[in-house]
Amino acid sequence: YVKSEVSGGIATVTFHHPKSNSLPGHVLRGMAEAIQESGRNPDVRVIILRSEGDKAFCAGASFDELLSIDSNERGLAFFSGFALVINAIRTAPVFVIGRIHSHTVGGGVGLACAVDIAYAHESASARLSELAIGIGPFVVGPAVERKVGPGTFGLLSATPALRRTAAWCEQRGLYAEVFPTPEALDARIDAHAKELATYSPE
C-alpha cells in the first residue's frame, strides 16, 4: 500500500509491501502519484518518504514481477516503475527527506539517493544487487551517480553481494547522517521537516 497525509506543511508518504518492501509496479506507481500530488499541494512545504516494516526500507523491485516478464511492453512497464518514483522526487517543487530505517537494496538505493536528504538508522546497509541477477542498475544509476559520484557508483555496481554499512554510506554522501536509534532518527527528521516547513516556498 501507499498512504499519504499532510500536517503542518509536511506531507508524509508511506509505502509498504509484506515481502521486505520489494515493490510491485502498482505500489511504485502509487508512490509516484502520491509524491506528485503532494508537490502540487500549495499547503505542502516538505515531503517525507518512508516505509513500514522491520526487514528493509526497500528491497528493490518485485522479483516475482521480474520473472513474469514475457514481452517488451511488460519489461518496459516493470523497469519504468522506479524511474517514475525517482523522477517524481527529482521534479518535486519542495524538499524531499528520506527516512531509511533499515537496509536498502537495488531500487531502494536509488530512492535513498534520489531524495534531497537521506537520514538513516545505523542498521541501514545498502547494496546494488542488480548484477547478481544478470541485469545492470541502469534505472537507478543516474540518481546514485548524481549523489555519490561515478567512482562510488561503479564500486557499488560491481560488488552486488556486498552490503555496505550505513557508516560507509554516510562517508560517501549517500546518507546525510546516521543515528543509533529509531527515536533519534525520527527526532532529527521531525525537527528538520518542521524547520523547512517554516520557510517561504518562494
Side-chain angles (χ1 to χ4, degrees):
Y1 59 76
V2 179
K3 57 187 179 182
S4 181
E5 59 183 32
V6 179
S7 177
I10 301 166
T12 301
V13 175
T14 305
F15 63 90
H16 178 68
H17 191 274
K19 291 188 176 180
S20 298
N21 287 321
S22 58
L23 302 178
H26 72 276
V27 173
L28 290 165
R29 289 189 294 273
M31 290 167 63
E33 290 166 6
I35 292 165
Q36 289 170 335
E37 184 177 332
S38 297
R40 289 192 294 264
N41 185 337
D43 296 327
V44 170
R45 299 285 183 268
V46 60
I47 298 169
I48 297 171
L49 180 65
R50 53 169 292 153
S51 66
E52 292 182 342
D54 298 327
K55 291 183 179 179
F57 165 71
C58 177
S62 167
F63 196 66
D64 293 339
E65 274 196 8
L66 175 63
L67 293 177
S68 71
I69 293 172
D70 58 6
S71 67
N72 288 340
E73 291 73 20
R74 290 186 67 178
L76 179 61
F78 174 82
F79 286 106
S80 295
F82 273 96
L84 291 173
V85 182
I86 288 170
N87 281 329
I89 295 168
R90 188 175 57 83
T91 59
V94 297
F95 282 108
V96 182
I97 296 175
R99 178 187 183 270
I100 320 301
H101 71 281
S102 187
H103 71 274
T104 189
V105 181
V109 177
L111 296 180
C113 288
V115 297
D116 297 298
I117 302 143
Y119 290 123
H121 184 260
E122 63 181 15
S123 67
S125 61
R127 181 166 66 94
L128 278 182
S129 58
E130 286 85 347
L131 198 64
I133 57 171
I135 59 177
F138 305 121
V139 175
V140 302
V144 179
E145 189 171 354
R146 275 194 298 269
K147 180 61 70 74
V148 300
T152 296
F153 168 57
L155 183 59
L156 284 167
S157 300
T159 54
L162 185 59
R163 280 190 183 189
R164 303 291 178 170
T165 67
W168 188 94
C169 294
E170 182 184 22
Q171 289 170 355
R172 286 154 181 82
L174 200 159
Y175 300 150
E177 200 169 347
V178 171
F179 298 88
T181 65
E183 293 77 14
L185 171 63
D186 288 334
R188 181 67 183 113
I189 290 172
D190 184 60
H192 198 176
K194 286 178 176 176
E195 177 195 346
L196 291 172
T198 66
Y199 298 145
S200 168
E202 298 299 327

